[in-house]
């Protein structure tokens, strides 16, 4: 009994040590900076400014940064897009990928700034990179800002979405990177003050299990709830190529998801605490994956 208790205390101390590196306040500040650029659809001036901002910040984290530029054929013609990839090198030869999209949905004539949908993932990934920079690595950890998640048309469908993730999955299939990936964790809409994340049943079951059990151990059962909601998101192109992948998304944004894809998706709906909860859980999940 004594031994078991000591072990538990040591385990919890280790969890706290890894997770403490993530600051929700800092993640919220990063998010505020990109949301201040206004609507940021793929190919827009503000999207380019945002790319420059991400690059300027991530360069401070001592990682290897690469730019994956491509042209996407969309319903509104050819659009220049770019994924941004930060690599924190390990020694095992294996890799863990944490991704999220930075584009916002194109709504001409509106002021859709996507604080949660596009902004939160962008700011959260910047803070994750800052936290990872402080830690020793076993596996390569890639932090990826994906362009072109949103559909150009009003309705989501067919090939008109997930442009950046489809491009990167294909690129990594060609160069062999996919075979090294233990897990891909995609985050989306993770800043809502009322954080309620449901399980995507199409995600890899053992990753759902790992994320939900880690969240429960850290005391976040109220945020990672035991309900299912199938999602189509940037993890799909990787899943289709047999990469273990999970989507971590709070698709319950305001009563009946009423702020989703609306001009009311603004900074006042977000909290540093929600970003921090997801950050702490994911740092611990990365830590555990590296030991598998
Ligand atoms: Zn969206």
């Amino acid at each position: 009994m004594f031994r078991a208790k000591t072990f538990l205390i040591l385990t919890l101390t280790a969890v706290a040590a890894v997770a403490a590196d993530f600051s929700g306040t800092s993640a919220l500040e990063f998010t505020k900076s990109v949301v201040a650029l206004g609507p940021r659809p793929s190919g827009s001036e503000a999207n380019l400014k945002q790319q420059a901002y991400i690059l300027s910040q991530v360069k401070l984290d001592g990682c290897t940064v690469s730019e994956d530029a491509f042209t996407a054929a969309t319903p509104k013609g050819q659009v220049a897009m770019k994924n941004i990839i930060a690599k924190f090198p390990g020694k095992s030869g294996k890799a863990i990928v944490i991704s999220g999209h930075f584009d916002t949905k194109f709504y001409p004539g509106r002021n859709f700034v996507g604080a949660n949908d596009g902004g939160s993932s962008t700011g959260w990934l910047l803070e994750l990179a800052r936290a990872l920079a402080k830690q020793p690595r076993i596996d390569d950890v890639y932090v990826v800002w994906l362009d072109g998640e949103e559909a150009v048309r009003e309705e989501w469908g067919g090939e008109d979405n997930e442009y950046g993730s489809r491009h990167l999955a294909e690129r990594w299939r060609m160069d062999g990177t996919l075979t090294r990936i233990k897990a891909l964790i995609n985050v989306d809409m993770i800043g809502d003050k009322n954080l309620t994340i449901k399980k995507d049943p199409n995600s890899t079951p053992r990753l759902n299990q790992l994320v939900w059990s880690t969240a429960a151990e850290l005391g976040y059962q109220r945020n990672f709830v035991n309900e299912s909601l199938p999602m189509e998101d940037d993890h799909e192109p990787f899943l289709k190529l047999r990469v273990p992948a999970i989507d971590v998304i709070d698709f319950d944004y305001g009563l009946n998801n009423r702020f989703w894809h609306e001009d009311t998706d603004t900074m006042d709906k977000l909290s540093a605490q929600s970003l921090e909860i997801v950050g702490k859980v994911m740092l611990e999940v990365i830590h555990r994956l590296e030991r598998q």
Side-chain angles (χ1 to χ4, degrees):
M1 189 62 193
F2 173 74
R3 273 193 174 173
K5 259 189 185 166
T6 309
F7 177 73
L8 180 67
I9 290 163
L10 286 173
T11 307
L12 288 173
T13 310
V15 166
V18 177
D21 291 331
F22 193 100
S23 160
T25 306
S26 172
L28 192 69
E29 281 303 311
F30 282 130
T31 305
K32 199 194 284 180
S33 298
V34 297
V35 171
L37 297 169
R40 306 172 301 289
S42 298
S44 68
E45 195 68 32
N47 184 287
L48 293 176
K49 279 186 188 158
Q50 181 173 231
Q51 291 174 22
Y53 177 76
I54 293 168
L55 289 167
S56 71
Q57 294 304 310
V58 83
K59 271 176 189 149
L60 307 174
D61 298 327
C63 48
T64 312
V65 183
S66 57
E67 299 172 43
D68 174 32
F70 61 101
T71 306
T74 80
K76 67 169 181 178
Q78 302 284 316
V79 177
M81 297 191 189
K82 185 188 281 180
N83 300 316
I84 297 174
I85 303 157
K87 179 184 179 185
F88 295 87
K91 307 175 197 77
S92 68
K94 294 289 181 186
I96 297 165
V97 183
I98 318 291
S99 64
H101 76 95
F102 69 85
D103 60 307
T104 57
K105 190 165 169 65
F106 177 57
Y107 285 118
R110 277 177 44 184
N111 188 34
F112 176 70
V113 297
N116 198 22
D117 191 359
S120 67
S121 38
T122 306
W124 184 91
L125 287 169
L126 281 168
E127 174 57 15
L128 182 76
R130 208 189 58 78
L132 290 172
K134 300 182 193 168
Q135 301 178 347
R137 294 263 70 84
I138 296 173
D139 298 333
D140 292 344
V141 176
Y142 291 91
V143 178
V144 182
W145 288 263
L146 294 164
D147 203 348
E149 184 267 345
E150 297 288 4
V152 168
R153 290 198 188 94
E154 172 74 42
E155 294 301 320
W156 176 281
E159 297 269 274
D160 176 31
N161 51 59
E162 300 171 10
Y163 292 98
S165 50
R166 281 190 287 124
H167 183 266
L168 185 62
E170 180 56 19
R171 178 182 165 152
W172 277 353
R173 184 185 70 78
M174 302 274 282
D175 72 11
T177 302
L178 284 193
T179 61
R180 301 197 296 115
I181 300 176
K182 277 182 178 173
L184 178 138
I185 299 168
N186 188 70
V187 299
D188 199 357
M189 299 174 70
I190 45 167
D192 184 6
K193 276 177 184 167
N194 179 16
L195 186 70
T196 313
I197 299 171
K198 295 177 183 170
K199 276 182 201 166
D200 163 40
N202 301 320
S203 293
T204 304
R206 71 173 170 80
L207 290 178
N208 271 336
Q209 212 277 329
L210 175 63
V211 169
W212 259 256
S213 63
T214 303
E217 280 177 50
L218 291 172
Y220 302 131
Q221 299 94 323
R222 278 185 303 139
N223 308 106
F224 288 76
V225 298
N226 259 325
E227 287 175 55
S228 285
L229 188 63
M231 293 305 306
E232 294 179 39
D233 210 339
D234 280 325
H235 61 318
E236 288 191 300
F238 297 92
L239 270 181
K240 279 179 192 152
L241 293 171
R242 298 169 191 273
V243 175
I246 178 175
D247 194 33
V248 175
I249 180 168
D250 173 5
F251 204 63
D252 179 16
Y253 187 28
L255 191 64
N256 299 321
N257 211 18
R258 68 193 166 116
F259 303 137
W260 176 64
H261 285 181
E262 295 294 339
D263 294 1
T264 46
D265 179 2
T266 46
M267 285 303 296
D268 55 299
K269 314 295 186 309
L270 312 191
S271 80
Q273 199 196 352
S274 296
L275 294 165
E276 187 158 311
I277 288 168
V278 179
K280 286 187 185 308
V281 171
M282 291 314 152
L283 279 181
E284 181 57 25
V285 165
I286 292 168
H287 181 78
R288 292 179 183 190
L289 281 168
E290 283 191 305
R291 279 150 189 85
Q292 284 184 2

